[in-house]
Amino acid sequence: MRKFNTVGGGARTNVNGLEFEARTHLYEAIEKHPDFIVDGNEIKKNNITVAYYYEKNSLYKKLLEVKGVKYNEIISKKLLPDGAILVDNTLYIIEKKFQNGAGSVDEKLQTCDFKRKQYLKLFLPIGINVQFYYVLNDWFNKPSYQDVFDYIRSVGCDYFFEELPLNRIGLE
C-alpha cells in the first residue's frame, strides 16, 4: 500500500517545514524560513540561538574537533552529510536525494542503517544523539519504493518528500 507524505506541504509549508528544491541546500531552506535567522552556523529564533548548522567537513571542524574528537580513532572514513542540525543534544543528519529516472540513488537509500550507526559511534563519546533522515523528491513517491521505505524506518531512520517538517528536527 502506498504511503503519502502527511506531515506538511500545501498552504502551511513555510510554517510547518523546510521546503526543498533540487538544488537547494538545507542552509538555504532555513535562511528562507520566516521564523529563523542564520548567523554563521547558528540558527536563531526570536534572537535566541536554537540550533547549529553543519555540512560536509564543517561537522568535523566546527563540532567534533572543537570537542576533542578525532574521527579516525572512531570510524575509518569520514561521512560528509548534506546537512546536519544540532538541536539541544540531538544531531539531525539530513541527506537529500533527487532523481528523475532509474539509477544509483535507488541503492544509496539502503545505506542509511550503516551511516546512522557510524554517526552514532562518532558522537557517542560526546553524548550527542543522532537521527538520520532523507529528504526525497516526489519522483521516489511511488509503490515500487515501498520495500525500501519500510526498511528505512525499520532501522530507525526516516524519510520525507520535498519538505523536512520542523517538528521532526526540534525546531517547531
Side-chain angles (χ1 to χ4, degrees):
M1 181 174 185
R2 188 172 182 183
K3 294 181 185 175
F4 293 93
N5 181 15
T6 60
V7 292
R12 300 199 40 89
T13 293
N14 287 336
V15 175
N16 294 330
L18 300 172
E19 185 176 11
F20 288 84
E21 296 175 8
R23 291 178 176 77
T24 300
H25 293 312
L26 179 58
Y27 186 90
E28 293 167 355
I30 296 168
E31 277 187 317
K32 291 177 183 177
H33 195 282
D35 290 346
F36 300 104
I37 294 172
V38 181
D39 183 13
N41 76 319
E42 292 183 47
I43 300 169
K44 297 179 179 184
K45 185 174 183 178
N46 301 322
N47 293 320
I48 298 169
T49 300
V50 294
Y52 297 89
Y53 175 81
Y54 308 94
E55 69 181 41
K56 308 292 184 194
N57 280 304
S58 74
L59 182 65
Y60 297 84
K61 292 181 190 300
K62 294 183 178 180
L63 181 56
L64 290 167
E65 288 177 17
V66 169
K67 302 249 184 204
V69 175
K70 297 178 182 175
Y71 84 90
N72 56 353
E73 293 177 358
I74 301 169
I75 61 174
S76 57
K77 188 174 182 181
K78 277 185 180 179
L79 298 170
L80 301 173
D82 292 334
I85 298 175
L86 180 63
V87 180
D88 295 324
N89 205 35
T90 302
L91 183 69
Y92 299 91
I93 302 292
I94 313 301
E95 293 288 338
K96 294 184 349 174
K97 301 296 178 199
F98 290 86
Q99 195 158 313
N100 58 11
S104 65
V105 173
D106 288 8
E107 293 178 8
K108 290 178 184 176
L109 293 176
Q110 299 164 33
T111 66
C112 63
D113 186 40
F114 173 76
K115 289 179 181 178
R116 181 179 158 273
K117 286 177 179 172
Q118 291 295 90
Y119 282 117
L120 286 168
K121 282 192 325 190
L122 190 57
F123 287 94
L124 180 65
I126 54 177
I128 293 178
N129 301 313
V130 174
Q131 294 291 325
F132 188 96
Y133 297 150
Y134 285 120
V135 176
L136 309 170
N137 68 323
D138 278 334
W139 188 89
F140 290 100
N141 194 4
K142 47 180 100 169
S144 60
Y145 283 96
Q146 192 58 53
D147 290 338
V148 174
F149 296 151
D150 291 344
Y151 172 76
I152 289 169
R153 288 193 171 145
S154 77
V155 297
C157 302
D158 211 343
Y159 63 93
F160 306 96
F161 296 104
E162 301 292 341
E163 178 181 298
L164 181 59
L166 293 175
N167 66 342
R168 295 302 303 272
I169 57 172
L171 290 179
E172 6 184 27

